[in-house]
Amino acid sequence: MILRIKRLAALAAACLLPGLGAQAAGNPEQIVQSLRFDSRALQHKKPFGAVTAGSEVRFTVQALPGVEQATLVVAQRRLEGNQDLIEYRELARLPMQKQTRRGLEQWSVPYRFAAPAIYGYHFELSIGGRPYVYQNNADPVHWTKEAGSMGLGVAQAQAAQPLRRYRQTVYAADFKVPDWARDTVYYYIFPERFRNGDRRNDPQPGRDRYQDKDVELHANWLDKPFKPGTGDGSDAVYNNDFFGGDLAGIIEKLDYIRSLGANAIYMTPIFRAASNHKYDTADYTQVDPAFGTNADFARLCAEATKRGIRVILDTSLNHVGSDSIYFDRFGNFKSGGAFEGAKINPASPYAGWFSFDASQAEPDRQFKGWVGVLDLPEIDKASPAFRAFAYGNPDSVMKQWLDRGAAGWRMDVAPWVPDDFWRAWRTAIKAHKPDALTIAETWFDASKFFLGDSFDSTMNYIFRNALLDYAAGGDARKLAAQLDLMREAYPPQAFYALMNLISSHDQARALHHFGYIEPQGRHNVAPAPQGEPASLGRPGAGRDDGDAAKLTEAKQRLRLAMFFQMMYPGAPAIYYGDEVGVAGGDDPYNRATYPWADQGGRPDEALLAEVQRLTAMRHALPVLRHGSLGAPLYLDEHVIVLLRQDGRRWAITATNNAATPQTITLQLPPALAGATFSDALSQEPIQARQGRLQLTVPALFGRVLTWN
């Protein structure tokens, strides 16, 4: 993309040479190559980025003389489900007006976007009697079906397909996100694997059941999670092995969480369910007995509040568990479930929650499991009874848990739930608790959820993948394109509240992504030799540590990723154990236990101290959380430099993914021409001279320079 920008910029400059403009006017190919529209440049699109409903946006395409006609085409997008349907309905075709400036033609037209929606637009032009289209570029966007990172586009013959539209977010003028969201650092917990604080509630084989089967309990906290079929000694059942983590364990470690620099806890579901992950809800109104009680949750919230920590809950309103009071396929509840004992029960109070096909003889064919998973019967989200239960009633489930102390909700598989459901849900949540934060689990471009009528934030998987690729050695320019897409497409109040994660319970941990494959057996278990200090990069699994060199490098790259996470807008999310070097590949290994020292584990204390230093830097510098963000101040293959401003305070952030230090020279804005900056981590002064700043960025790390 950068090379394309440089080529077109050079061509535009060349057209100012005497005689070249006239020569190009008769050369259609050269005119087509000169076409330029950059959606992030104010001379081409003003104002920048997402706009409120009723706003007028001016579009300008630049070219060498010779364009015969130019038209702006605006359409409204419809996106449903997990990008299962994406279509555009054309709204307007607007002739653009030509002006000539310094030998270049500028074709412009304004358009007023009336209502909140995601719109698409492109340009149709006539050059040399032939039709052309100027459209979005072809950059892939992580998890997103529609290609194009916006910014500088491409021109081609109109017959070329498919059309890649630029996207324009138009949101409600009253869209408000809780003020506290942008100041948040999350600690992201999978409760079953964080800390066992009460052994009395551990699931017991022979007593407790997983659906119609037995459960497994790990005798050693540091065992790896079981995965059937791998020869690890487990049975053939998935998600039925337990370690005993619970709410009491989280309460016990609240001081640790606070010392890490986190001021919010996001937990995967805690409600009663058969599995270890708890997304197969059995009872929305009760904490799972293996995690504790409802009173334990209220105590967790109260103790967290004393330490300045908020608690965000998680659940799915798309499906329940087949082993639940609502469905009761296995007859474990005798609660009048809608499919009690694997038979349709029309008399069930929950019958209207599901869609059944009684014409099918086989029970498995009589209902729909989410994405075909029969353990997760899909709810009919249009059911008035379910909507009342979930959010509509005064004592609805969503409101009950807010009243018990939750600060907001992260909603599972949000794209599978209809938009009208989320609109009514948000209205109910915000009316009950206006400062409650609403977070969607959305992996692709989440613009449609930020129109002011559904969510405040999302789990930012685009950020995750782009940052991990960069920290693993990928091109910084690709990272910049992905991040700038969100900066442009998301309303600022949502952009600054995004949950910026690196690892998750649904994806391999960062160290795995960076090339470290943990060996078989237990993890992080062997004690360090007597008197030997911990050190960043020291293998966390002792004598059975796999490739020590790979682990050392992987931790250095994790440190780089966390540095970027802490200095970038949005709310960083630390997945439990990442801060002490826990590794693990795809599910279930990404859900390993935290290696507590009193359980025989060996957390990387040096890495922990480094993470604490980075979170402290973020909390100490409001400019990192609130400051404006524009296009990169400097960008090459390895280094990305960003300029931030918050009132009179400025920050320059720089990261380097090369294995060697990189020295660069920055051209500063006039306000910083003679500034003396301070390195936020080392306090080293660094002086700008005549509007330039020479900066050395360390290998596999970064720097934050501040001035005010």
Side-chain angles (χ1 to χ4, degrees):
M1 184 177 74
I2 300 300
L3 292 177
R4 190 163 64 240
I5 292 173
K6 290 181 177 177
R7 177 175 59 81
L8 290 176
L11 183 59
C15 78
L16 301 180
L17 297 175
L20 183 58
Q23 178 183 356
N27 187 334
E29 181 179 349
Q30 198 168 9
I31 297 169
V32 172
Q33 291 179 351
S34 76
L35 288 168
R36 182 181 176 88
F37 174 81
D38 183 341
S39 63
R40 291 194 270 273
L42 292 179
Q43 63 265 39
H44 294 288
K45 177 175 170 284
K46 190 175 182 179
F48 169 82
V51 298
T52 55
S55 295
E56 182 179 275
V57 179
R58 175 166 287 276
F59 300 88
T60 301
V61 176
Q62 179 180 289
L64 292 170
V67 175
E68 294 146 6
Q69 189 176 25
T71 302
L72 169 69
V73 183
V74 180
Q76 185 171 332
R77 189 184 73 173
R78 178 185 173 198
L79 185 154
E80 293 185 358
N82 189 35
Q83 305 177 97
D84 305 304
L85 182 149
I86 303 174
E87 64 182 25
Y88 286 87
R89 175 174 60 89
E90 188 173 304
L91 297 179
R93 303 179 68 85
L94 303 172
M96 305 178 77
Q97 304 302 312
K98 180 178 70 173
Q99 287 186 326
T100 302
R101 294 180 180 176
R102 301 180 64 199
L104 293 176
E105 292 180 351
Q106 299 197 18
W107 294 80
S108 298
V109 68
Y111 182 77
R112 190 173 300 278
F113 291 92
I118 303 299
Y119 296 86
Y121 65 92
H122 68 282
F123 306 95
E124 294 181 0
L125 307 105
S126 177
I127 301 172
R130 295 183 59 192
Y132 292 88
V133 63
Y134 194 97
Q135 60 183 332
N136 202 345
N137 56 61
D139 294 345
V141 178
H142 287 294
W143 308 106
T144 303
K145 283 188 176 180
E146 288 187 274
S149 62
M150 304 206 286
L152 190 65
V154 294
Q156 60 191 89
Q158 193 171 28
Q161 293 294 331
L163 181 65
R164 294 188 304 273
R165 294 173 174 85
Y166 283 94
R167 297 183 293 280
Q168 175 64 49
T169 302
V170 179
Y171 61 97
D174 62 354
F175 179 28
K176 180 173 174 55
V177 172
D179 292 336
W180 57 267
R182 66 175 57 194
D183 294 316
T184 297
V185 175
Y186 291 100
Y187 195 62
Y188 172 175
I189 298 175
F190 191 82
E192 215 282 314
R193 307 289 162 80
F194 177 61
R195 175 76 174 177
N196 189 344
D198 185 353
R199 296 189 180 278
R200 295 172 300 176
N201 60 24
D202 293 356
Q204 296 297 325
R207 183 195 71 188
D208 297 306
R209 304 288 287 169
Y210 173 77
Q211 299 176 353
D212 57 348
K213 304 172 183 68
D214 205 356
V215 300
E216 298 176 293
L217 180 66
H218 290 267
N220 192 299
W221 177 256
L222 296 168
D223 284 350
K224 281 193 171 184
F226 284 150
K227 185 174 184 179
T230 61
D232 59 9
S234 63
D235 62 24
V237 181
Y238 286 86
N239 303 315
N240 74 327
D241 65 317
F242 296 86
F243 287 83
D246 50 30
L247 297 185
I250 299 174
I251 294 170
E252 184 181 319
K253 291 299 181 180
L254 283 173
D255 287 337
Y256 166 80
I257 293 169
R258 184 59 190 163
S259 74
L260 183 62
N263 55 12
I265 293 170
Y266 156 59
M267 300 184 293
T268 55
I270 61 170
F271 305 135
R272 185 173 183 179
S275 71
N276 50 35
H277 57 70
K278 308 301 179 192
Y279 284 99
D280 52 333
T281 309
D283 187 345
Y284 287 105
T285 69
Q286 299 294 320
V287 167
D288 190 274
F291 287 169
T293 65
N294 291 5
D296 288 330
F297 175 75
R299 184 164 65 95
L300 168 63
C301 292
E303 291 297 321
T305 298
K306 292 177 184 177
R307 295 162 174 83
I309 298 172
R310 292 178 168 89
V311 177
I312 304 293
L313 283 176
D314 181 4
T315 195
S316 173
L317 298 180
N318 175 72
H319 51 263
V320 297
S322 59
D323 189 17
S324 66
I325 64 173
Y326 315 110
F327 206 71
D328 200 19
R329 176 172 186 163
F330 304 99
N332 289 332
F333 291 91
K334 308 300 182 185
S335 57
F339 201 59
E340 191 171 35
K343 294 181 181 179
I344 300 172
N345 180 10
S348 169
Y350 312 111
W353 289 21
F354 308 95
S355 298
F356 292 106
D357 183 356
S359 69
Q360 299 291 331
E362 295 181 31
D364 285 356
R365 296 180 178 272
Q366 292 179 342
F367 68 95
K368 180 182 178 183
W370 175 63
V371 296
V373 179
L374 298 180
D375 289 345
L376 304 174
E378 189 165 349
I379 297 168
D380 177 5
K381 277 75 70 177
S383 164
F386 176 70
R387 291 192 177 203
F389 170 85
Y391 62 78
N393 291 338
D395 62 346
S396 67
V397 164
M398 297 284 104
K399 297 171 185 174
Q400 282 182 34
W401 293 99
L402 292 174
D403 290 344
R404 290 185 179 120
W409 288 98
R410 178 269 194 190
M411 302 310 295
D412 190 48
V413 298
W416 279 266
V417 177
D419 296 345
D420 71 299
F421 183 101
W422 291 133
R423 284 192 284 268
W425 173 85
R426 178 184 178 86
T427 298
I429 295 293
K430 295 295 186 176
H432 191 73
K433 189 171 185 176
D435 71 339
L437 186 65
T438 59
I439 307 168
E441 185 206 10
T442 317
W443 294 37
F444 52 85
D445 176 354
S447 301
K448 68 165 283 185
F449 293 105
F450 299 148
L451 305 181
D453 60 356
S454 56
F455 289 96
D456 299 320
S457 176
T458 190
M459 297 186 80
N460 196 353
Y461 275 95
I462 295 178
F463 175 92
R464 172 195 175 269
N465 281 72
L467 178 55
L468 290 182
D469 287 351
Y470 168 69
D475 195 321
R477 292 166 290 197
K478 292 184 178 180
L479 169 67
Q482 302 276 318
L483 299 183
D484 269 356
L485 165 70
M486 293 182 286
R487 181 173 66 89
E488 179 179 358
Y490 294 174
Q493 57 268 54
F495 179 73
Y496 280 79
L498 295 172
M499 183 188 281
N500 289 340
L501 67 159
I502 293 177
S503 297
S504 86
H505 71 280
D506 283 324
Q507 290 282 291
R509 284 183 181 261
L511 289 180
H512 185 89
H513 188 90
F514 296 142
Y516 175 67
I517 309 302
E518 197 176 34
Q520 296 298 315
R522 297 175 185 170
H523 73 104
N524 291 320
V525 297
Q530 185 71 26
E532 182 177 334
S535 61
L536 181 64
R538 176 175 172 78
R543 289 180 289 275
D544 184 24
D545 60 11
D547 190 323
K550 285 186 177 179
L551 179 57
T552 296
E553 180 183 340
K555 287 183 178 179
Q556 290 170 337
R557 294 190 182 278
L558 173 60
R559 177 171 170 256
L560 167 62
M562 296 185 100
F563 177 91
F564 194 100
Q565 188 187 30
M566 293 300 161
M567 62 80 177
Y568 196 75
I574 302 169
Y575 187 46
Y576 77 102
D578 268 14
E579 74 275 18
V580 292
V582 173
D586 293 330
D587 180 18
Y589 303 123
N590 53 0
R591 304 173 183 182
T593 54
Y594 186 105
W596 298 108
D598 64 0
Q599 298 299 309
R602 199 173 103 201
D604 187 331
E605 298 289 351
L607 180 58
L608 173 61
E610 184 69 358
V611 175
Q612 290 171 322
R613 186 169 75 122
L614 296 179
T615 59
M617 175 186 72
R618 182 175 180 84
H619 288 306
L621 299 175
V623 65
L624 299 181
R625 310 189 305 273
H626 301 174
S628 61
L629 177 69
L633 185 64
Y634 178 90
L635 183 63
D636 65 22
E637 181 182 358
H638 297 294
V639 176
I640 178 170
V641 180
L642 304 174
L643 182 64
R644 311 288 303 280
Q645 182 183 7
D646 182 25
R648 298 180 60 183
R649 294 180 172 87
W650 295 76
I652 294 173
T653 67
T655 55
N656 170 28
N657 72 351
T660 56
Q662 303 289 301
T663 299
I664 59 175
T665 300
L666 305 176
Q667 183 68 49
L668 301 178
L672 302 176
T676 299
F677 294 90
S678 175
D679 188 297
L681 293 177
S682 70
Q683 281 70 59
E684 174 192 352
I686 180 169
Q687 178 71 49
R689 300 186 185 281
Q690 298 180 336
R692 293 178 179 271
L693 184 72
Q694 189 175 72
L695 178 66
T696 297
V697 191
L700 296 178
F701 200 50
R703 298 182 72 176
V704 171
L705 308 180
T706 62
W707 180 81
N708 64 291

